[in-house]
Amino acid sequence: MNADAPVLFEETATASGHRIGIATLNQPASLNGLSLPMVDLLAEQLDAWEADSGIALIMLRGAGGKAFCAGGDLHALYRSLGGRRDSVLGIGDSESVVDYALAFFSREYRLDYRIHAFPKPVLCWGHGIVMGGGMGLMAGASHRVVTDASRLAMPEIGIGLFPDVGGTWMLSHAPGHSGRFLALTGANLGASDAIHAGFADIAIAQTASDAVFEALVNQAWHGETHSDAATLHRLLRGFAMQDLEPGPLQRFRSVIDACCGTPSLEEAVAELLACDMDDPWWQRAKAAIAAGCPSSIRLSWELQQRACRLSLAEVFRLELNAAMGCATHGDFAEGIRALLIDKDKQPRWNPATLAQADAAFANAFIERHWPNGHPLADLGRDDPQRTPLH
């Protein structure tokens, strides 16, 4: 095993003779930011593990102790978008931009969907930071663990994107109107709130991670999906943290539902900004709305409006349309520049206001035409063989 590889793969024998396939994201310096080579490595290995009858379950985890995955590799995406201020101001559908963005987003989304439909139990150990692309990997796992140090979020409005990687699906299925709130604010969630929102299944203290792994190895697996999924569920429950305190998402649910249950996006934003509570989490959420990219805010809202009527595969296809629009429009590159390249945190969004980024503007992204057929047209043709426990 190459210790410097961006993803480490290993197999560990269990008491029954079956093996656990372990994939470790191995870019701790970037908080395991997901790159295109990492996507391709994971996809190839999942194919091999699915075909191997000796593999009973899969485990996804991150190296370094600080993050499972903090999102996509934004530096690589920025380079593909030109990496220059003049390209940001009115970037067009240049061939290089389209080619790289299409390769990254379509293969990432295909991998995320693959995890949702994977026919063996998938345990995701979501310790530390889990954001953006990390949420996409975690969302489809049949068993999603968070720890006492987990921080989950979809903060894409701050970089000119939107909650993608299936985020539209996840947020539209969150309780009440909390999904709208999380998309508009990118607010962080701890373990308790992550479970409440439906983004995780169980909380286990990070200090118990070695004991959990030892229990996995000592367990007798059967190589049968539903039996092994149920066994894994019971095993993890034996390590669950008890009496989790409700986080701010739960404490403020009534306010969130009242603010975000409005018919229009403009009303929801106005209600949220007008609601002043003396709480740091709430104040950070409000600040994020005020500074967020108007086109991203609009896209997030419009996509969630549609998601309730769509399958997961259809949502991924819509998200690819919107992501390509973001990549070629310019706000995405500008958001990355302001946050990570120049680090001035002064993005110049275009359009600059929510009124300018209206529904017609968003629909032009969402209704993208593909002359040769949609790159994700085949998703959903085969029903998932697994019945998730969440």
Side-chain angles (χ1 to χ4, degrees):
M1 180 171 61
N2 179 5
D4 296 324
V7 186
L8 304 178
F9 300 107
E10 56 188 302
E11 298 175 5
T12 299
T14 69
S16 59
H18 293 90
R19 286 166 288 128
I20 302 170
I22 305 166
T24 305
L25 307 184
N26 189 38
Q27 298 285 275
S30 66
L31 299 177
N32 299 318
L34 191 65
S35 65
L36 186 54
M38 294 167 74
V39 167
D40 291 342
L41 287 169
L42 285 164
E44 181 180 3
Q45 189 62 55
L46 284 179
D47 286 343
W49 279 339
E50 179 180 355
D52 187 339
S53 61
I55 295 291
L57 66 143
I58 310 300
M59 182 175 186
L60 304 176
R61 63 187 184 185
K66 293 182 179 180
F68 166 61
C69 175
D73 183 352
L74 296 180
H75 286 87
L77 279 165
Y78 183 77
R79 289 192 296 271
S80 80
L81 300 174
R84 302 185 312 277
R85 179 63 194 168
D86 57 354
S87 71
V88 170
L89 293 172
I91 191 169
D93 282 13
S94 70
E95 185 175 349
S96 62
V97 169
V98 171
D99 287 350
Y100 186 87
L102 180 58
F104 182 84
F105 287 118
S106 63
R107 277 140 72 176
E108 181 187 23
Y109 295 0
R110 188 173 291 278
L111 172 64
D112 294 334
Y113 185 85
R114 180 102 168 80
I115 295 171
H116 277 273
F118 200 72
K120 297 181 180 182
V122 178
L123 165 60
C124 182
W125 193 267
H127 172 62
I129 299 171
V130 187
M131 295 184 182
M135 291 284 285
L137 293 175
M138 185 174 180
S142 59
H143 299 71
R144 303 164 301 172
V145 171
V146 284
T147 73
D148 42 325
S150 292
R151 290 294 178 269
L152 282 67
M154 298 293 286
E156 288 81 0
I157 62 158
I159 56 168
L161 193 58
F162 61 93
D164 65 331
V165 295
T168 301
W169 174 268
M170 287 187 285
L171 293 169
S172 66
H173 287 78
H177 296 294
S178 58
R180 289 180 174 182
F181 174 83
L182 294 172
L184 296 176
T185 65
N188 287 0
L189 304 180
S192 178
D193 277 342
I195 293 171
H196 174 75
F199 301 160
D201 303 304
I202 189 167
I204 298 176
Q206 178 63 13
T207 54
S209 60
D210 289 344
V212 172
F213 188 73
E214 183 179 359
L216 293 173
V217 171
N218 291 331
Q219 180 64 50
W221 305 97
H222 296 92
E224 195 281 319
T225 299
H226 296 293
S227 172
D228 287 344
T231 297
L232 179 56
H233 181 71
R234 289 192 298 270
L235 186 154
L236 295 173
R237 282 291 170 195
F239 291 93
M241 297 169 61
Q242 303 298 318
D243 302 321
L244 292 176
E245 290 291 329
L249 183 70
Q250 295 166 78
R251 296 199 305 270
F252 299 137
R253 261 293 306 282
S254 61
V255 177
I256 288 169
D257 285 348
C259 290
C260 295
T262 58
S264 74
L265 170 59
E266 289 80 359
E267 290 174 277
V269 169
E271 291 283 348
L272 286 168
L273 293 178
C275 185
D276 193 21
M277 288 188 285
D278 186 18
D279 179 88
W281 184 84
W282 186 266
Q283 292 301 325
R284 287 192 297 270
K286 286 180 57 176
I289 300 173
C293 174
S295 60
S296 297
I297 291 172
R298 178 69 67 180
L299 271 174
S300 300
W301 181 273
E302 294 297 329
L303 285 166
Q304 280 198 54
Q305 294 292 93
R306 301 179 183 216
C308 61
R309 305 186 298 272
L310 302 176
S311 68
L312 177 61
E314 288 169 329
V315 168
F316 271 116
R317 284 191 279 273
L318 277 188
E319 287 188 348
L320 183 60
N321 293 355
M324 292 302 296
C326 291
T328 56
H329 171 67
D331 276 345
F332 188 28
E334 170 65 353
I336 300 173
R337 178 206 65 77
L339 180 67
L340 297 178
I341 308 303
D342 297 337
K343 300 181 181 180
D344 57 25
K345 298 186 179 180
Q346 297 293 322
R348 286 166 279 178
W349 305 125
N350 179 28
T353 68
L354 198 57
Q356 294 170 316
D358 58 13
F361 176 90
N363 287 337
F365 285 32
I366 297 172
E367 301 297 338
R368 187 180 185 90
H369 175 62
W370 300 91
N372 298 317
H374 199 289
L376 301 180
D378 59 312
L379 292 192
R381 290 179 180 172
D382 298 319
D383 291 334
Q385 301 174 43
R386 181 185 77 200
T387 303
L389 295 177
H390 54 76

